Amino acid sequence: MKQYDICIVGSGAGASPVAYELSRAGYRVLVLEKGPYLTEKDFTKDEIAVSRRSIYTPRLREEQHVVETYSSDGSIDRVTAAESGWNFWNGSMVGGSSNLMSGYFHRMKPVDFRLRSAFGPVEGANVVDWPISYDDMEPYFTKVEQLVGVSGRVVEHPFQERRSTKDFPFPPTWEQPISGWFDTACETLGYHSIPTPRAVLPFDALGRSGCSYSNFCGSYGCATGAKGNARAALLEKAKATGRCDILPNVFVYRLDADRQRVTAAHYFDADGRSHTVTAGTFVVAAQAIESVRLLFNSRNDLHPDGLGNANGQLGKNLIFSAGGSGRGRFEFARLNERQRFELMTRGAFVNRSLQEWYVYHQNGRALKGGTIDFLFEHPNPVSRALRELYDDEGNLLWGRKLQARLKHAFTASRIFAFEVFNDWMPTDKCFVSVDESVKDKWGVPVGKIRLYGHPHDIEVGNYLAAKAERVLRQMGAVEIESDISSAPPPNLVAGGCRFGTDPEHSVLDPDCRMHGIANLYVSDASFMPTGGSVPYTWTIYANAFRVADAIIAALKGRETGYNNVKDS
Ligand SMILES: Cc1cc2nc3c(=O)[nH]c(=O)nc-3n(C[C@H](O)[C@H](O)[C@H](O)COP(=O)(O)OP(=O)(O)OC[C@H]3O[C@@H](n4cnc5c(N)ncnc54)[C@H](O)[C@@H]3O)c2cc1C
Ligand code: SF4
């Protein structure tokens, strides 16, 4: 049997930097991925297949979750994903959900690393400072810009974070003319319009093709390789070293561990046969919910409550990106010919954001705000048509009335949208565990997700949405509305294996190594104690590069001194 130094579970943004760095440093790496190995030639823009039939996520009848919510009287409502259709899978394939992301990339800001010190406690929430600072992460944010490829342009604004380089390594992607309308509106209102950084290459670089402006980015695989997905950007390069093997279509169901070390990983192959892998170091990066599930399912006599759960912290403080979205409509009848022409330019990105209220003051209190990204509504035609099914009074439309409404929506107006990202307060009421009574197709207990959104998140989200609506009004949009709620976006999930210095209140040490287990690291978003008011993926990539450095240091006997056990 082939010997490996590192065995990684999962192959997404949390896994790929470790595979990349360790294989280039001369170590033999094995990546175990549940989904198939898809490349550029496999990705099509078929809305029925991708968005309606979810071909990139497992069939819920075969693999699912149990979801619990609080009803108004405080009791728990429980539903299986197979019953409800509630899908918490994101992307199951080599490269994980980074294949399907839109690539809106923002760095976390210095204040995100010290929420507790900066804003004090929030009642009912477990807000803590991170055990590392922005300065510890900055070199890794920069590394992601350069290796994964982030395009953008630095502009001065009140919350521009410190950078070690002057500007992005790649200029912004092609901008839709409406970005100019947005800039003018912001100037009038006194806001600082920010070109949104994107994990999208504007031209051929890094051995990948530039963006072809397919218009179908979020939820779809990239047929050019321009999108900074984990496979195209990092895993192919890891493979090219000859020291990184990637096994697709294999499901890791258990890790064996003695008192202080993981000794083996067990997986089922596509035919349901079980295999065992040994390695010197193990890295779990199966996405926040699934990593926690695997650690629970790896319980044994020495770790009766699951790996990393000696203090009952495993699965706790699950977080999502709080906020929501909003939109307004530009009616062609209100525009001149040039404006109509500009509005109909297809393919180019809007790429505009506001971070004006990353911290704001209200009633004498400083509050942590967030980020607003602006974009056109997704071009998915079926989804767009479904939004037109009802008239303004809420009546279901049929026949000619529906025809007329669809014609208007597709040929005489265009929807401009925004997305709000603010912190989801970590609480005792939102966590992951395992449901022993529900099994997947391999007979393994599935993850159980308890959902709770803190009212504070909604208050902040509404504040930001009101600001975004103001910009849309200034631009001349009509029918402006927003939808801020405590419903979690399943694609932006983190927490469950909080990192920290104190094993009583965290699962991982500051290197993301499990407290008490010398050779086990967790490198996906589950390490995050708070999420920052930005989408997570840049942080996941950056932190995984940091974890890779910590693993290499440990393998070379240069311990960082965080862990309470020594690797032998
Ligand atoms: C439609 C969409 C749009 C998005 N847009 C953005 C955006 O604009 N900006 C942004 O920052 N983020 C965005 N995201 C989120 C981003 O994709 C994720 O935050 C990020 O990719 C998560 O990385 P991960 O490594 O933690 O998990 P994943 O990418 O989910 O990787 C986990 C991998 O592990 C595999 N796996 C799970 N369990 C096992 C097991 N037991 N054995 C073996 N393999 C296993 C899974 O199949 C998966 O491939 C978007 C996501 C989606 C779906
Ligand atoms: S080609 Fe460009 S627009 Fe199309 S999926 Fe790739 S990155 Fe997105």
Side-chain angles (χ1 to χ4, degrees):
M1 190 193 206
K2 207 164 165 183
Q3 293 298 307
Y4 292 99
D5 300 305
I6 317 287
C7 171
I8 306 175
V9 183
S11 66
S16 55
V18 181
Y20 177 89
E21 293 288 35
L22 271 287
S23 60
R24 286 166 66 90
Y27 297 98
R28 292 153 304 167
V29 178
L30 175 66
V31 176
L32 301 172
E33 167 55 50
K34 183 157 75 74
Y37 203 122
L38 303 178
T39 66
E40 284 74 23
K41 64 179 177 6
D42 299 307
F43 293 126
T44 61
K45 310 295 180 186
D46 177 344
E47 183 185 356
I48 303 286
V50 174
S51 300
R52 307 266 132 211
R53 300 202 177 129
S54 307
I55 55 163
Y56 298 130
T57 57
R59 289 196 193 105
L60 292 180
R61 281 193 313 280
E62 299 179 347
E63 296 177 58
Q64 59 170 323
H65 294 110
V66 172
V67 184
E68 294 183 336
T69 49
Y70 294 87
S71 59
S72 49
D73 64 3
S75 61
I76 306 295
D77 292 330
R78 176 183 183 280
V79 68
T80 64
E83 290 160 348
S84 67
W86 209 345
N87 193 342
F88 277 83
W89 298 107
N90 286 318
S92 202
M93 67 188 99
V94 172
S97 46
S98 64
N99 284 287
L100 310 178
M101 67 177 178
S102 311
Y104 287 85
F105 264 34
H106 298 276
R107 294 180 180 210
M108 285 176 64
K109 300 192 183 295
V111 70
D112 288 317
F113 292 76
R114 43 184 172 79
L115 274 199
R116 175 68 183 235
S117 317
F119 302 97
V122 173
E123 203 184 328
N126 305 322
V127 181
V128 289
D129 288 352
W130 283 34
I132 59 172
S133 70
Y134 174 80
D135 290 339
D136 294 319
M137 281 285 268
E138 201 286 334
Y140 299 102
F141 282 128
T142 302
K143 196 171 226 180
V144 176
E145 277 184 13
Q146 291 163 351
L147 293 180
V148 174
V150 184
S151 51
R153 186 173 67 249
V154 172
V155 295
E156 278 311 309
H157 65 88
F159 295 101
Q160 171 59 47
E161 61 278 353
R162 292 187 294 279
R163 296 176 51 92
S164 56
T165 57
K166 202 160 171 291
D167 215 331
F168 289 87
F170 302 97
T173 46
W174 175 35
E175 283 174 359
Q176 220 279 351
I178 204 168
S179 311
W181 307 10
F182 180 85
D183 293 345
T184 307
C186 286
E187 211 176 310
T188 309
L189 295 169
Y191 304 158
H192 299 76
S193 161
I194 304 171
T196 313
R198 298 291 297 270
V200 174
L201 295 175
F203 43 70
D204 296 1
L206 303 174
R208 291 152 41 203
S209 300
C211 182
S212 64
Y213 300 97
S214 68
N215 229 213
F216 285 77
C217 204
S219 300
Y220 290 84
C222 179
T224 67
K227 197 192 286 186
N229 74 72
R231 182 196 52 78
L234 299 172
L235 291 177
E236 299 291 3
K237 288 170 187 160
K239 226 169 78 172
T241 62
R243 287 183 292 277
C244 177
D245 292 340
I246 300 171
L247 281 192
N249 303 309
V250 299
F251 169 66
V252 179
Y253 62 92
R254 198 177 74 234
L255 302 177
D256 284 345
D258 60 25
R259 201 168 292 283
Q260 293 192 340
R261 291 180 65 81
V262 170
T263 51
H266 300 278
Y267 68 83
F268 290 116
D269 66 17
D271 300 320
R273 282 191 299 261
S274 179
H275 303 261
T276 300
V277 177
T278 55
T281 300
F282 289 82
V283 179
V284 173
Q287 176 250 25
I289 294 166
E290 288 302 298
S291 289
V292 170
R293 173 193 176 202
L294 174 62
L295 295 170
F296 271 119
N297 283 335
S298 300
R299 69 173 68 82
N300 62 27
D301 289 348
L302 294 167
H303 304 273
D305 300 315
L307 300 186
N309 202 23
N311 293 308
Q313 292 300 304
L314 183 62
K316 295 284 156 57
N317 297 303
L318 183 73
I319 52 175
F320 297 86
S321 185
S325 59
R327 64 213 62 80
R329 191 186 291 273
F330 285 101
E331 289 285 356
F332 289 7
R334 292 164 164 254
L335 304 174
N336 62 36
E337 202 174 327
R338 184 183 56 80
Q339 289 171 317
R340 282 201 288 272
F341 176 77
E342 289 187 353
L343 201 58
M344 289 308 279
T345 303
R346 298 281 173 193
F349 296 113
V350 175
N351 274 0
R352 285 294 184 271
S353 305
L354 287 176
Q355 294 189 317
E356 207 75 25
W357 309 276
Y358 211 79
V359 176
Y360 65 96
H361 292 82
Q362 209 175 35
N363 304 327
R365 283 192 300 165
L367 288 162
K368 176 67 192 313
T371 301
I372 313 168
D373 286 339
F374 293 82
L375 60 165
F376 278 118
E377 73 170 336
H378 199 289
N380 269 339
V382 178
S383 312
R384 286 172 67 196
L386 287 175
R387 267 196 288 277
E388 305 298 333
L389 280 182
Y390 296 88
D391 69 13
D392 297 341
E393 279 75 50
N395 303 309
L396 185 62
L397 295 175
W398 298 92
R400 289 199 184 286
K401 278 190 185 161
L402 177 59
Q403 245 177 7
R405 193 170 171 101
L406 287 174
K407 186 172 179 201
H408 179 82
F410 279 79
T411 64
S413 69
R414 196 158 183 197
I415 303 280
F416 190 66
F418 61 84
E419 290 179 356
V420 170
F421 301 92
N422 57 279
D423 282 88
W424 178 285
M425 291 290 116
T427 66
D428 289 342
K429 295 170 84 173
C430 191
F431 55 87
V432 191
S433 56
V434 160
D435 195 316
E436 297 291 340
S437 68
V438 182
K439 310 260 170 65
D440 63 18
K441 65 178 175 186
W442 296 284
V444 179
V446 306
K448 182 162 68 176
I449 305 159
R450 176 78 64 84
L451 295 172
Y452 174 75
H454 195 288
H456 180 86
D457 309 342
I458 311 254
E459 182 191 333
V460 175
N462 279 326
Y463 181 89
L464 295 170
K467 300 292 185 189
E469 288 190 10
R470 189 163 179 225
V471 177
L472 263 60
R473 253 191 307 281
Q474 181 68 32
M475 291 172 75
V478 294
E479 297 176 29
I480 297 168
E481 57 181 19
S482 49
D483 176 21
I484 301 297
S485 79
S486 57
N491 60 337
L492 292 171
V493 52
C497 293
R498 195 175 249 212
F499 79 155
T501 46
D502 172 10
E504 292 265 313
H505 298 106
S506 54
V507 175
L508 308 173
D509 75 9
D511 284 339
C512 292
R513 176 156 52 165
M514 189 165 280
H515 288 301
I517 299 198
N519 67 340
L520 177 58
Y521 295 77
V522 179
S523 65
D524 57 25
S526 49
F527 81 101
M528 296 170 75
T530 55
S533 302
V534 292
Y536 297 148
T537 310
W538 198 345
T539 307
I540 301 172
Y541 269 131
N543 185 62
F545 275 111
R546 193 182 66 87
V547 172
D549 276 359
I551 295 173
I552 292 172
L555 290 174
K556 291 187 170 165
R558 293 197 306 261
E559 291 284 343
T560 51
Y562 285 131
N563 211 282
N564 48 0
V565 281
K566 289 275 172 281
D567 205 356
S568 50

